[in-house]
Amino acid sequence: MLITISQLIIGSVDLTAAFLLMFGLWRMASPVTAPSGILVAGVGMLAAIGASFLYVFTVDAAARPHLPLNIGLAAAALIIGAGVAWWSGRRVAITAMPQAVALFNGMGGGAAGAIAAVELFGGQTHGATQLIVTLLGALIGSISLSGSVIAWAKLDSLLKKPLNLPGLQWFNGLVLLLGVLVGGYMVYGAAGGGTPVIAMSHLIEIFFGIALVYGILMTLPIGGADMPVVISVYNAFTGLAVGLEGFVLQNPALMIAGMLVGAAGLLLTLLMAQAMNRSVAKILFASFGPGKKRKQGAIKGSLKPVQASDAGIFMRYAKSVIIVPGYGLAVSQGQGKLYDFVKLLQAAGVSVKFAIHPVAGRMPGQMDVLLAEAGVPYDIIVQLADINDEFKDADVALVIGANDVVNPEARTDKTSPIYGMPILNADMAKKCYVVKRGDGKGYAGIVNPLFYADNTFMVYGDAAAVCTSMTEAVRGLGAPAAAA
Amino acid sequence: MSYQIHIDGFVALYIFMVTAFAGWVIIGRVPAILHTPLMSGSNFVHGIVVVGGLFTLLSASTPLEQTIGFVAVLLGAGNVAGGFAVTQRMLAMFKTSGHGSVHATHGVRHAKSAKHAAPAAVKSISPKKT
């Protein structure tokens, strides 16, 4: 009786939770409803976690003597895991969001892998189908765990350079093949194909080892600017792994939530790849190597440096300014100072808009979050497709810490590695200021002809410092009363 | 009467198919401006794996199972709590001009400011294929 009631309650709570999680994501369709969406999803999640303690009434006889310890362990793991993550999630800087998301995502993958490990070590899988699904979930979850940790280290600048060894991709392919072979051998052995030469428990260990190593090797060669795609791929991976383990545990809530995220991750990955005009396979398995030297056509014009104060004052008397923020702005944490400057311009009657490229920053939409943190209202933040025609009418395009996303070569030069990538038309504005720390090339390693154009002027310096000098210069003019 | 859930191969495939389709449609409505909170929010959603971890840990009967089960719940709980904290913080920052919220500058803002702000015309993107 107790078992039936428990099953009934768990079943209905999980059903409700699955609905609330879906509904929560549904409400993410607009910045107005999104904050309530995450709360709705949170309620569903809490209910599901609470209800899962009713499993104590349904466990089989073998586990019953261990229940008191297991309950204690479960409570401890929940409190420690949630406590530490909540604490760090609350205080992580907005600029460090990508690595935080990568880390939390890896945790989910690790959890899915660990569940698979328990099922495998305990020999609780029945039949070849379940075993294959368990192994698949274990493989994907483990790759997501170790890959996300590497992605986190890269985003946190603990790992600086992408690893570029000749033949690495072939080696990685062999490692993955080996993992699949070990998994296949386990299925073969379990399906009655004779006693394995190596004990099953060792095979499981080897399998997980290979999966974890593959995740590391797969992520190491990928460079910083491709991280939006990597994070979104691993997000999809974890979702998929959770969905598969949900099938093994016969829990439809896990299957639905996992698959939902799997589809979401896939869609975001494709959108990112499309914005870079590169295939997902190329991003993951081929890096922009310095190996191939390409003759870039001679660039006409010269770099024309100007003072930040002059640039600031010019914009003060312009009619319309479009700002193109890039990763450099995030690095210098200059978003607040930039918005101070923008407010001065707005007070002086200048129309200011922000133009966002889909792959600006280190994760999809990072610039939007960065500007939101500074207090920039989202109705003056405009995406590429909606603003690109406005550049030709703008007096000034202010490019801050962005490079490849405004490189006109993508439109004209067929031999360029970024040819075909949609770019922001900053070069079409009447005047273009580029805030940059030095003459360095962009991530793609190519010279940007925009910087040499006749109407482009370079403002050298850290983005935050430049914004401060521009603000001071405009204030020095004796700004109109409203600007205070 | 039993409420034991039992999902076989094909039923599972049907569930996966319908969910993947629903996920594609739901996520396709989200505007690019919310892609980071979306990614972090979907990151939170797959934290439901902690429920599977709890089931595994509670049914564990050997020290090995208990250890790995503990790790599963620990990581899953981290996924849930971290994913929620980060997403909620990010979403609380989005707001429109209008409503005087422009004057607020730095620091923590409350989710309310975005909820009560005038709804702006935010174009939703649809999943485009190349």
Side-chain angles (χ1 to χ4, degrees):
Chain A
M1 188 62 197
L2 203 55
I3 294 177
T4 310
I5 294 174
S6 302
Q7 283 172 345
L8 181 62
I9 296 175
I10 294 174
S12 6
V13 171
D14 280 5
L15 180 67
T16 316
F19 169 76
L20 290 177
L21 290 176
M22 269 181 140
F23 185 62
L25 282 183
W26 176 261
R27 289 189 68 82
M28 285 245 180
S30 146
V32 182
T33 54
S36 63
I38 188 70
L39 287 182
V40 165
V43 170
M45 187 71 78
L46 272 184
I49 292 173
S52 51
F53 274 91
L54 289 174
Y55 283 129
V56 297
F57 299 114
T58 64
V59 297
D60 50 9
R64 217 160 281 154
H66 302 281
L67 265 182
L69 177 60
N70 287 352
I71 295 173
L73 283 174
L78 272 183
I79 292 167
I80 298 170
V84 171
W86 181 266
W87 180 74
S88 57
R90 278 274 133 200
R91 55 188 291 282
V92 63
I94 292 294
T95 40
M97 269 321 160
Q99 46 268 53
V101 172
L103 204 57
F104 295 138
N105 179 52
M107 286 180 165
I115 292 172
V118 173
E119 298 290 318
L120 290 171
F121 279 119
Q124 286 154 0
T125 54
H126 309 288
T129 315
Q130 271 215 350
L131 184 58
I132 292 172
V133 174
T134 312
L135 286 172
L136 205 57
L139 182 70
I140 299 173
S142 306
I143 292 175
S144 177
L145 169 64
S146 58
S148 295
V149 170
I150 298 295
W152 164 77
K154 275 172 181 271
L155 289 164
D156 218 35
S157 302
L158 296 173
L159 283 171
K160 292 263 159 59
K161 275 193 176 158
L163 181 73
N164 247 326
L165 295 174
L168 184 67
Q169 298 301 345
W170 289 105
F171 180 71
N172 288 358
L174 283 178
V175 172
L176 183 64
L177 185 69
L178 188 66
V180 172
L181 285 177
V182 172
Y185 187 62
M186 285 159 76
V187 177
Y188 172 74
T195 324
V197 188
I198 313 166
M200 193 67 173
S201 61
H202 289 308
L203 279 177
I204 299 171
E205 284 159 15
I206 295 170
F207 182 77
F208 276 101
I210 292 174
L212 289 170
V213 167
Y214 181 74
I216 296 172
L217 289 175
M218 181 179 151
T219 324
L220 277 178
I222 304 174
D226 284 336
M227 278 303 151
V229 179
V230 174
I231 296 183
S232 119
V233 163
Y234 286 140
N235 201 28
F237 270 26
T238 302
L240 208 57
V242 171
L244 292 174
E245 296 312 327
F247 170 68
V248 176
L249 296 177
Q250 295 284 305
N251 186 324
L254 257 69
M255 293 170 70
I256 287 176
M259 207 57 207
L260 197 64
V261 179
L266 179 66
L267 175 54
L268 276 180
T269 308
L270 291 176
L271 284 176
M272 289 305 106
Q274 187 191 335
M276 289 199 252
N277 195 39
R278 294 165 68 202
S279 73
V280 178
K282 259 196 179 152
I283 294 163
L284 293 181
F285 302 117
S287 44
F288 280 124
K292 278 176 232 146
K293 284 248 168 67
R294 184 184 63 99
K295 264 191 199 156
Q296 200 167 17
I299 288 174
K300 289 176 200 133
S302 58
L303 293 168
K304 298 167 285 297
V306 292
Q307 291 299 316
S309 48
D310 296 342
I313 291 169
F314 185 86
M315 281 182 261
R316 155 74 178 76
Y317 292 105
K319 266 203 198 72
S320 57
V321 174
I322 298 178
I323 300 176
V324 180
Y327 186 58
L329 181 67
V331 171
S332 80
Q333 305 243 24
Q335 64 273 25
K337 298 192 175 79
L338 174 62
Y339 188 46
D340 288 343
F341 175 64
V342 168
K343 278 186 282 188
L344 272 182
L345 294 184
Q346 286 175 328
V350 185
S351 139
V352 184
K353 280 181 183 167
F354 288 88
I356 309 288
H357 193 278
V359 291
R362 289 294 182 263
M363 78 184 290
Q366 192 192 356
M367 288 303 131
D368 302 291
V369 173
L370 203 69
L371 295 174
E373 190 208 11
V376 179
Y378 57 77
D379 42 4
I380 63 166
I381 302 174
V382 193
Q383 305 299 320
L384 182 138
D386 299 321
I387 198 162
N388 239 357
D389 292 337
E390 293 181 28
F391 275 103
K392 60 182 190 303
D393 302 320
D395 292 330
V396 178
L398 173 62
V399 179
I400 301 188
N403 190 344
D404 292 333
V405 297
V406 289
N407 192 337
E409 232 184 42
R411 270 196 307 256
T412 52
D413 188 349
K414 281 200 174 134
T415 61
S416 173
I418 58 167
Y419 177 72
M421 173 169 123
I423 58 153
L424 287 162
N425 300 331
D427 56 325
M428 293 185 181
K430 292 183 191 106
K431 198 164 194 171
C432 183
Y433 287 109
V434 177
V435 179
K436 229 168 154 300
R437 269 186 298 190
D439 282 334
K441 292 167 182 170
Y443 168 70
I446 43 180
V447 180
N448 191 339
L450 168 72
F451 302 165
Y452 296 85
D454 289 339
N455 58 343
T456 301
F457 297 87
M458 307 297 288
V459 184
Y460 291 113
D462 172 76
V466 168
C467 290
T468 311
S469 347
M470 289 195 300
T471 309
E472 278 164 8
V474 174
R475 284 226 172 96
L477 292 174
Chain B
M1 200 155 82
S2 166
Y3 293 96
Q4 175 93 43
I5 294 172
H6 188 75
I7 304 161
D8 264 335
F10 268 110
V11 181
L13 288 178
Y14 278 100
I15 294 180
F16 280 145
M17 180 191 72
V18 173
T19 314
F21 194 79
W24 188 273
V25 173
I26 292 175
I27 303 310
R29 295 167 71 239
V30 180
I33 192 170
L34 286 178
H35 274 176
T36 293
L38 166 71
M39 183 159 287
S40 158
S42 60
N43 184 14
F44 162 73
V45 166
H46 68 51
I48 189 127
V49 70
V50 71
V51 169
L54 282 168
F55 172 76
T56 315
L57 176 55
L58 291 174
S59 334
S61 50
T62 65
L64 181 67
E65 288 178 3
Q66 286 170 324
T67 313
I68 310 177
F70 180 80
V71 173
V73 177
L74 192 73
L75 292 176
N79 186 175
V80 168
F84 186 85
V86 165
T87 312
Q88 200 262 332
R89 257 181 76 193
M90 278 194 281
L91 287 176
M93 296 183 315
F94 283 89
K95 55 189 167 34
T96 79
S97 0
H99 229 70
S101 51
V102 187
H103 300 295
T105 47
H106 312 290
V108 183
R109 268 169 295 273
H110 300 287
K112 278 182 182 170
S113 59
K115 238 195 289 183
H116 298 312
V122 177
K123 263 177 83 178
S124 77
I125 54 143
S126 52
K128 271 178 270 174
K129 298 270 276 199
T130 33

